[in-house]
Amino acid sequence: MTQTLYMPDISETALATDAGHSSAAWDPQELLQLLAKALPEGVGYFEAHTLRCLWANALLANYNGGTVQSVLGKTMAQVLGDSAWSAVREPLAHQPQHSLISGQCDQPSPCGNLRKSHIQLRAHCDATGSLLGWLVLVHDRTGQWLAERAVQDSEDRLRKFAAATGEAILFHRSGVLMDGNVALQNLTGYTLAQMVGTSVYDLLPQRFQPSIREYARYGGEYLYEAAIRHKDGHEVPVEIVGKTMPEQDASYRIVVLRDITQRKKAQQREAFLQLHDALTQLPNRRHLMDLLDTALAQAQRERTQAAVLYIDLDHFKTVNDSLGHSTGDQLLCEIARRLRATVRDEDIVARLNGDKFVIVLTQLHSRENAAVVADKVILAVCQSVTLDNTPLTLSPSIGIGMYPDDGLEALELLRNADAAMYHAKDSGRANRQFYAPDMAGRATEVLRKERLLRAAITQGDFVLHYQPQLHLHDGSLAGFEALVRWQHPERGLVGPDEFITFAESRGLITPIGRWVLQEACRQLKVWQSQGLAFVPVAVNLSALEFRQRDVAADIAEVLQKSGLEPQYLDIELTESVLMHNASQGLATLHALKALGVGISIDDFGTGYSSLSYLKRYPIDKLKIDRSFVMDTPGSSEDVAIVTAIIQMGRSLQLLTVAEGVETPEQIALMQSLGCDLGQGHGLSLPMDATQTTAWMRMRQRGEQAAWIGAAG
Ligand code: C2E
Ligand code: MG
Ligand code: MG
């Protein structure tokens, strides 16, 4: 639209005045000067044809270094300076009929500072439209430009930062998304183009929308957690903080969203681990107690029964010790899986600790139901499993406590099921037992015994007795068997039959076995230094100890520390040890053999008595079990068995030892059958170290003549 300025004739002072209010003080010239001074812009008037300055205010005159006086009569080009003139020259030359011409220019100030200007030329025409002159306005935009540039720079920096950070950033005005970074696109699954112009609240699940709208409305700037609804429908947990943009109105906000999926997962994991066992993922004891409480409450409401199955794996410690913890862990996971698969989804399967699991069967109508499930559990656990190429079989001992018969409370039921489990262990393992009232006392007794035994181990309350083994053909000393006794605080000396199996079941055999080995080696070394006993001492090794991977290394260390030569140590093993775990057993036997220690098979005849292993294994002695010797010579059957064993030993070049020979007749029989060695009350009772020393001294003095006479 064309705008034409009708300027008053300055020289004639012909300003329009209100007819009714003329004043003597009214001086248009003065008013013009006032206006010229007051205007924030440079203003000047140039003659139409010559473009020479007729009038200028100080701002315009100074624009290119002149004064109000000096610019009069100068051309527009001179007054404006090169850059400003260039900005308007073209349109002025080509389209003089244009009543409004404007241009921008960068023209340094007279003292050299950067300056941005906006130049406007307005045509001054008379009533007929012919051009009289040009009104020139120069507006210095430097300040505004600097401010704009600062904002622009700051936005650029923000944009660069937004692109560089992994956190999603968005800008919105009154909830309408204006801009966002790449991370926002990754977080939401939408492209920026899809999001710009839409409501930011649409990115949120419905439940968060009201509170977040409110937060934005009053300009909240604290951190809070919410979620983003991803394009494909899933929710991404986020931490959000919003800020009102500086120097912008409060509706313009920048929002930073941090994906906290990992943190949430860690929190969930932590919460899970509070209630579950990390290895098997089953509920832990704490969780079990809560679940059991709930199950019992339900059983009470529905008038049904429930069963607590307390499961302990038999000999699990052996597997753990011999095959390593990682195999043990795998085994536990496999057992956990089987337990879970054996029962219904509604039933509870938990791991208490170590090899102890609990199953809670709900909605039962009889004890028989519980028995059936317990039998299924036994079958499931007993299935062999191959780990690290080693086939393994484990069995469980299960104690069962019934609700409401055996207890109304979770803790009581669990305790009673535990007592029943001990009863199952005592009944030969791999079976299940229902709780009976007298078992609770026994469970306490078991705990007490364990406590006492542990104390005995720390205090070293054990002694060794030594039972001599004699050459049957001449009565000379062939060796000793070291037999452990527990110095019980209340009961005096307690024999190994009462605590070795128990120690095995409580995982206490290792320290006891190690003590026996050290003590036997030490004692023999003492006797040797006294010129007595240049014969081996035999030490019994339990099946559990034998299966430990480093048994040979252990023995080597004890020998080395005691200084005893290996030929003075015999290791007694039972047949069953060799039958189970055949390949590993063979390796351990060879390792022992390589050390130079002797190997005896104890209680021979009671186990598998397989000829094949006798041939394969590096064995030195067969100890004929006392049960075969006991009834000889009266029992012809036993005589036949003993005869067969002795002959077999001879053909395999093994020494035979008759255990438990008590009577002169038995001694004579064994002699006549060609048995090499004898051990038993008929030859000598086991004696403590002092008695054994005296016994050897006595024999050294030649007091064994009586024996040769008796047997010979
Ligand atoms: P074993 O190795 O067969 O030991 C022989 C057992 O028979 C000993 O019983 C011994 O006192 C007993 N005995 C010897 N001669 C006669 C006899 O003429 N008549 C009768 N009735 N018994 C006789 P003890 O000391 O009670 O040991 C029992 C078992 O405990 C041992 O049987 C052995 O298997 C185990 N044991 C003993 N000491 C240790 C040990 O240090 N470590 C381990 N793991 N087991 C041990
Ligand atoms: Mg023995
Ligand atoms: Mg024996």
Side-chain angles (χ1 to χ4, degrees):
M1 192 183 131
T2 310
Q3 286 183 324
T4 308
L5 180 76
Y6 291 95
M7 282 263 303
D9 183 349
I10 300 166
S11 56
E12 303 293 310
T13 330
L15 276 172
T17 55
D18 187 326
H21 292 273
S22 59
S23 156
W26 179 251
D27 179 356
Q29 197 63 40
E30 246 175 55
L31 181 64
L32 191 61
Q33 294 307 331
L34 192 66
L35 256 174
K37 268 191 198 159
L39 274 176
E41 302 184 344
V43 189
Y45 188 77
F46 293 77
E47 202 274 328
H49 301 292
T50 60
L51 291 181
R52 289 195 179 270
C53 182
L54 296 181
W55 174 86
N57 72 353
L59 273 179
L60 183 69
N62 292 342
Y63 185 70
N64 199 31
T67 64
V68 173
Q69 290 309 314
S70 73
V71 295
L72 292 177
K74 291 206 170 141
T75 63
M76 196 185 286
Q78 290 168 324
V79 175
L80 291 180
D82 292 345
S83 301
W85 173 240
S86 319
V88 292
R89 189 185 57 198
E90 286 282 299
L92 193 61
H94 291 108
Q95 292 149 316
Q97 75 275 21
H98 269 197
S99 57
L100 183 64
I101 292 169
S102 61
Q104 312 275 353
C105 77
D106 288 357
Q107 180 165 297
S109 70
C111 48
N113 290 336
L114 169 92
R115 187 171 54 174
K116 295 257 176 197
S117 312
H118 181 242
I119 315 215
Q120 216 175 53
L121 272 58
R122 282 172 184 269
H124 177 211
C125 304
D126 65 13
T128 64
S130 50
L131 188 68
L132 299 175
W134 292 97
L135 181 71
V136 174
L137 295 150
V138 175
H139 175 56
D140 186 344
R141 289 190 59 250
T142 313
Q144 189 191 345
W145 176 79
L146 284 174
E148 279 168 8
R149 202 178 64 172
V151 170
Q152 183 67 43
D153 284 355
S154 135
E155 282 181 2
D156 283 353
R157 274 199 300 274
L158 203 58
R159 208 171 303 280
K160 278 186 194 149
F161 166 74
T165 176
E167 293 177 351
I169 296 175
L170 65 82
F171 299 84
H172 71 86
R173 193 184 292 278
S174 302
V176 177
L177 197 140
M178 319 287 289
D179 200 355
N181 64 353
V182 176
L184 180 72
Q185 303 181 43
N186 296 338
L187 182 70
T188 60
Y190 293 103
T191 63
L192 192 57
Q194 288 170 320
M195 287 184 286
V196 166
T198 66
S199 164
V200 287
Y201 305 112
D202 288 348
L203 294 170
L204 304 165
Q206 186 60 42
R207 65 184 187 283
F208 290 112
Q209 292 188 8
S211 59
I212 295 181
R213 278 178 196 275
E214 184 59 15
Y215 170 85
R217 198 185 57 74
Y218 73 80
E221 297 199 342
Y222 56 84
L223 202 72
Y224 62 93
E225 286 185 9
I228 285 293
R229 203 173 45 200
H230 190 272
K231 186 182 176 190
D232 63 21
H234 75 274
E235 284 189 13
V236 185
V238 286
E239 189 175 71
I240 301 181
V241 65
K243 292 254 182 256
T244 298
M245 287 293 278
E247 296 172 40
Q248 306 276 349
D249 67 286
S251 63
Y252 187 47
R253 306 254 297 162
I254 172 172
V255 179
V256 180
L257 306 104
R258 180 179 303 144
D259 181 343
I260 52 170
T261 308
Q262 292 310 321
R263 192 210 297 169
K264 282 276 161 197
K265 274 193 186 150
Q267 282 170 354
Q268 280 163 3
R269 175 103 190 113
E270 209 172 289
F272 181 83
L273 288 181
Q274 298 268 317
L275 298 178
H276 294 82
D277 160 45
L279 179 67
T280 61
Q281 317 282 303
L282 291 178
N284 60 17
R285 175 186 280 272
R286 185 171 141 197
H287 196 23
L288 167 71
M289 296 319 277
D290 289 344
L291 294 172
L292 186 52
D293 278 340
T294 314
L296 296 183
Q298 190 190 358
Q300 189 192 20
R301 272 198 314 275
E302 296 173 1
R303 302 194 178 285
T304 55
Q305 299 183 36
V308 173
L309 275 55
Y310 197 110
I311 303 165
D312 186 286
L313 302 177
D314 302 328
H315 302 304
F316 175 74
K317 195 175 180 310
T318 316
V319 176
N320 217 28
D321 289 346
S322 56
L323 297 177
H325 285 246
S326 104
T327 307
D329 285 354
Q330 289 178 54
L331 196 57
L332 288 172
C333 289
E334 173 59 18
I335 298 295
R337 201 192 55 71
R338 290 182 188 182
L339 295 182
R340 199 52 269 183
T342 308
V343 298
R344 297 170 305 172
D345 285 352
E346 311 83 273
D347 297 328
I348 302 162
V349 180
R351 179 177 174 218
L352 288 189
N353 55 50
D355 58 351
K356 292 180 176 49
F357 295 85
V358 167
I359 293 179
V360 180
L361 305 173
T362 52
Q363 296 180 327
L364 287 184
H365 296 287
S366 70
R367 290 166 82 84
E368 286 67 41
N369 293 159
V372 168
V373 180
D375 288 341
K376 276 208 282 186
V377 169
I378 295 177
L379 271 180
V381 174
C382 285
Q383 300 289 318
S384 126
V385 51
T386 302
L387 292 176
D388 295 341
N389 296 322
T390 313
L392 294 166
T393 40
L394 271 187
S395 58
S397 294
I398 306 179
I400 308 172
M402 294 296 297
Y403 171 89
D405 292 357
D406 303 329
L408 298 174
E409 303 281 320
L411 202 63
E412 186 188 11
L413 271 173
L414 201 65
R415 210 172 30 226
N416 290 344
D418 186 13
M421 187 276 291
Y422 277 110
H423 192 63
K425 289 254 181 227
D426 284 351
S427 318
R429 300 191 163 96
N431 73 111
R432 42 116 179 135
Q433 297 289 332
F434 279 95
Y435 171 76
D438 66 317
M439 288 175 184
R442 245 189 299 163
T444 332
E445 190 47 43
V446 165
L447 286 180
R448 198 175 111 81
K449 186 171 173 184
E450 178 175 339
R451 209 178 53 242
L452 286 174
L453 194 57
R454 282 185 191 277
I457 290 168
T458 25
Q459 293 157 23
D461 290 340
F462 296 99
V463 282
L464 285 187
H465 281 195
Y466 299 89
Q467 187 173 32
Q469 298 175 342
L470 304 183
H471 287 286
L472 284 175
H473 68 92
D474 65 357
S476 62
L477 183 64
F480 291 100
E481 177 172 6
L483 297 161
V484 70
R485 277 96 182 85
W486 173 12
Q487 285 178 311
H488 196 281
E490 293 146 14
R491 297 170 49 205
L493 275 198
V494 170
D497 287 340
E498 284 191 58
F499 67 91
I500 292 290
T501 314
F502 181 78
E504 283 182 349
S505 73
R506 311 308 286 182
L508 297 174
I509 192 64
T510 310
I512 298 178
R514 201 173 163 90
W515 179 85
V516 169
L517 193 64
Q518 283 167 347
E519 177 57 17
C521 292
R522 187 198 65 79
Q523 182 61 64
L524 197 65
K525 194 71 192 159
V526 169
W527 282 330
Q528 292 188 345
S529 70
Q530 295 168 346
L532 305 162
F534 289 93
V535 288
V537 64
V539 168
N540 294 281
L541 215 61
S542 84
L544 269 170
E545 291 171 86
F546 182 74
R547 287 190 210 129
Q548 284 175 9
R549 268 177 311 180
D550 46 4
V551 65
D554 258 19
I555 291 175
E557 191 192 327
V558 171
L559 282 173
Q560 195 246 326
K561 282 200 175 137
S562 66
L564 188 71
E565 289 166 61
Q567 74 264 28
Y568 291 118
L569 181 65
D570 274 359
I571 298 297
E572 290 197 8
L573 300 165
T574 57
E575 282 173 278
S576 56
V577 170
L578 302 178
M579 295 313 296
H580 292 139
N581 236 317
S583 64
Q584 196 213 338
L586 188 59
T588 308
L589 276 190
H590 280 295
L592 289 177
K593 201 70 216 159
L595 282 180
V597 304
I599 295 166
S600 307
I601 299 302
D602 205 354
D603 305 342
F604 186 76
T606 57
Y608 298 81
S609 308
S610 153
L611 278 178
S612 67
Y613 82 72
L614 288 184
K615 246 172 52 191
R616 244 182 321 139
Y617 291 166
I619 297 163
D620 303 292
K621 284 180 197 157
L622 285 187
K623 297 187 74 179
I624 305 165
D625 191 65
R626 192 168 66 85
S627 60
F628 301 114
V629 177
M630 213 157 63
D631 294 331
T632 57
S635 158
S636 54
E637 247 174 51
D638 285 349
V639 172
I641 291 172
V642 171
T643 310
I645 296 176
I646 292 169
Q647 281 172 0
M648 186 174 72
R650 190 177 301 146
S651 61
L652 290 170
Q653 294 177 313
L654 303 174
L655 288 179
T656 44
V657 187
E659 284 191 297
V661 282
E662 292 184 349
T663 63
E665 291 77 22
Q666 286 167 347
I667 298 173
L669 174 70
M670 298 305 151
Q671 271 181 323
S672 69
L673 291 175
C675 184
D676 301 293
L677 311 177
Q679 177 183 348
H681 294 174
L683 302 173
S684 169
L685 291 171
M687 302 167 284
D688 66 22
T690 317
Q691 290 167 332
T692 309
T693 312
W695 182 85
M696 282 190 286
R697 291 238 156 88
M698 180 188 78
R699 284 170 56 89
Q700 268 187 341
R701 291 197 297 269
E703 291 169 32
Q704 82 206 45
W707 142 261
I708 296 170

